[in-house]
């Protein structure tokens, strides 16, 4: 992963964190939260690509964010 890619993904993940916190507050019901979260997370995952370091980095950061928000059990961590 190049430094430029890391910078781009890092910035996108910081924005995702802000949006995810807002979505969690505005949509406490899981049926409403997940679509709102996916609108922001899916483009970042696509940007990272299907495999490799960038993909693993993004998935790990998203898992940690969801765990911190109480939306994911740590035992379900994929990476």
């Amino acid at each position: 992963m190049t430094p430029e890619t890391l910078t781009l993904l890092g910035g996108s993940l910081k924005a995702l964190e802000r949006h995810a916190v807002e979505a969690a507050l505005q949509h406490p019901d899981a049926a409403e939260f997940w679509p709102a979260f996916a609108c922001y997370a899916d483009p970042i995952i696509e940007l990272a690509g299907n495999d490799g370091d960038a993909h693993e980095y993004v998935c790990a950061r998203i898992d940690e964010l969801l765990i911190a928000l109480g939306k994911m059990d740590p035992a379900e961590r994929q990476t």
Side-chain angles (χ1 to χ4, degrees), residues 41-62:
D42 288 352
I44 299 169
I45 294 168
E46 287 180 31
L47 180 65
N50 292 329
D51 54 49
D53 292 342
H55 180 80
E56 289 181 27
Y57 170 72
V58 165
C59 289
R61 292 277 308 270
I62 289 174

Side-chain angles (χ1 to χ4, degrees), residues 4-68:
E4 293 82 13
T5 301
L6 183 59
T7 299
L8 177 62
L9 291 173
S12 296
L13 289 164
K14 285 185 184 288
L16 174 63
E17 183 176 349
R18 289 190 300 274
H19 291 297
V21 169
E22 289 175 18
L25 292 172
Q26 294 175 356
H27 307 289
D29 184 272
E32 293 177 3
F33 169 78
W34 288 109
F37 180 78
C39 286
Y40 293 104
D42 288 352
I44 299 169
I45 294 168
E46 287 180 31
L47 180 65
N50 292 329
D51 54 49
D53 292 342
H55 180 80
E56 289 181 27
Y57 170 72
V58 165
C59 289
R61 292 277 308 270
I62 289 174
D63 285 357
E64 292 303 320
L65 171 59
L66 291 170
I67 291 167

Side-chain angles (χ1 to χ4, degrees), residues 36 60 65 68 71 75 77:
L65 171 59
K71 300 294 183 180
R77 187 176 299 145

